[in-house]
Amino acid sequence: MEQLISTKAEIHPDAKIGENVTIEAFAKIDKDVEIGDGTWIGANATIYPGARIGKESKVYPGAVISAEPQDLKFQGEYTTVEIGDRTTIREYVTINRGTSAKGVTRVGDDTLLMAYTHLGHDVEVGNHCVVSNSVQLAGEVVLEDWVVVGGMSAIHQFCRIGAHSMVSGMSGVLSDVAPFTKVFGLPVAYMGVNLVGLRRRGFTREQIDNIHEIYRAIYQQGRNVSQAIEYIQAYLDPSPEMGQIINFIKESKRGIVKSALGQTATVES
């Protein structure tokens, strides 16, 4: 297939460009960059060394990918940014490459990063995520698959956002957000199960009811989280969703968010 590359684009001779790639005027593609087949790079996008961009993705004007991390501990070590297939990176998104902490900043497949979003060093964004305008992800944040983050939200360093959860716009996330939930506020609080999102993704009524029962035990029945986990494992029917929630909570290093009513939501040893 033919490459559609503007003569006004600046492309390093060592860059690896796939087939049927479009690169518009004044885009800059540096050395040690790989761009997969069918990807479109808009005018004035800047892609620095270490970028690996998959197939059929789109990078809009003004985006900056794989710039050095904004981390004072960074000492020039070799690190990368990896972006999956069919992912869209809108205007003026900035994605910093990794540091020695993880070595890579990663964005999955079929994900949308809207305008002015920032991904700090060593961030991991999963598949099918939507990160809305002006969201700021600090270093080493993890977004699991199917996460939606509303516009102008900020997520604190090291926080983890569980799969199929939703962070409402203009929120501040200081703790981990458990899977299948929706949160809102500054700092965010648990506002219920992400019912609309789960229905859109084909979860059955039985699955959703089971998820509701688990979070009632955690947030609405007066238990701390350790007690809630004991109750859930003893009295509720096992399911893949239950295992996913319990494993997430047990692995949480920052604790999960509190409820809107103020109950604590951290595991006690």
Side-chain angles (χ1 to χ4, degrees):
M1 299 290 290
E2 182 182 0
Q3 294 175 339
L4 306 174
I5 298 175
S6 171
T7 58
K8 296 180 180 179
E10 180 182 346
I11 302 174
H12 195 281
D14 294 339
K16 297 180 181 179
I17 311 297
E19 296 183 344
N20 200 28
V21 170
T22 298
I23 302 176
E24 295 196 346
F26 308 113
K28 175 181 172 64
I29 312 298
D30 216 325
K31 62 182 179 181
D32 190 28
V33 169
E34 299 178 10
I35 299 175
D37 296 348
T39 286
W40 174 82
I41 309 296
N44 295 295
T46 302
I47 303 178
Y48 285 115
R52 308 286 184 263
I53 301 175
K55 298 178 180 179
E56 299 177 12
S57 291
K58 294 182 178 180
V59 180
Y60 277 73
V64 179
I65 298 174
S66 201
E68 289 189 356
Q70 299 173 100
D71 185 338
L72 295 177
K73 299 186 298 298
F74 181 71
Q75 298 296 317
E77 58 267 27
Y78 181 78
T79 56
T80 59
V81 166
E82 297 179 2
I83 296 168
D85 298 337
R86 301 172 304 280
T87 281
T88 298
I89 298 168
R90 292 302 303 249
E91 295 85 355
Y92 300 102
V93 169
T94 54
I95 304 177
N96 291 170
R97 69 178 194 258
T99 68
S100 58
K102 294 182 179 179
V104 59
T105 301
R106 184 176 288 112
V107 181
D109 300 335
D110 301 293
T111 281
L112 169 59
L113 305 179
M114 294 189 190
Y116 295 97
T117 295
H118 172 71
L119 274 58
H121 64 86
D122 304 289
V123 161
E124 298 179 37
V125 177
N127 303 317
H128 304 285
C129 292
V130 177
V131 183
S132 301
N133 296 310
S134 300
V135 169
Q136 307 293 292
L137 307 184
E140 300 187 56
V141 163
V142 175
L143 271 58
E144 296 184 347
D145 294 345
W146 295 101
V147 167
V148 176
V149 183
M152 301 182 72
S153 293
I155 301 181
H156 192 279
Q157 192 172 24
F158 305 117
C159 284
R160 183 179 173 197
I161 314 299
H164 298 281
S165 60
M166 178 175 182
V167 178
S168 295
M170 301 183 71
S171 291
V173 180
L174 304 179
S175 303
D176 292 346
V177 176
F180 314 113
T181 64
K182 58 183 178 182
V183 298
F184 170 72
L186 186 60
V188 294
Y190 170 78
M191 303 299 290
V193 171
N194 184 18
L195 182 60
V196 173
L198 296 180
R199 285 175 173 168
R200 287 175 176 172
R201 291 163 206 148
F203 280 71
T204 66
R205 178 64 179 268
E206 181 182 5
Q207 287 176 301
I208 293 172
D209 286 346
N210 290 339
I211 292 168
H212 272 295
E213 286 299 317
I214 293 167
Y215 283 114
R216 287 190 190 103
I218 293 172
Y219 284 111
Q220 297 175 314
Q221 296 175 352
R223 304 177 181 89
N224 66 42
V225 174
S226 296
Q227 293 167 340
I229 289 175
E230 292 177 1
Y231 172 85
I232 290 164
Q233 292 176 319
Y235 295 105
L236 300 185
D237 293 334
S239 66
E241 293 77 29
M242 177 190 291
Q244 189 172 351
I245 292 167
I246 290 174
N247 289 338
F248 183 98
I249 294 172
K250 288 182 175 180
E251 293 170 0
S252 174
K253 297 180 180 179
R254 297 184 62 84
I256 61 172
V257 301
K258 296 180 180 180
S259 75
L261 298 178
Q263 293 105 324
T264 185
T266 57
V267 176
E268 296 183 4
S269 58

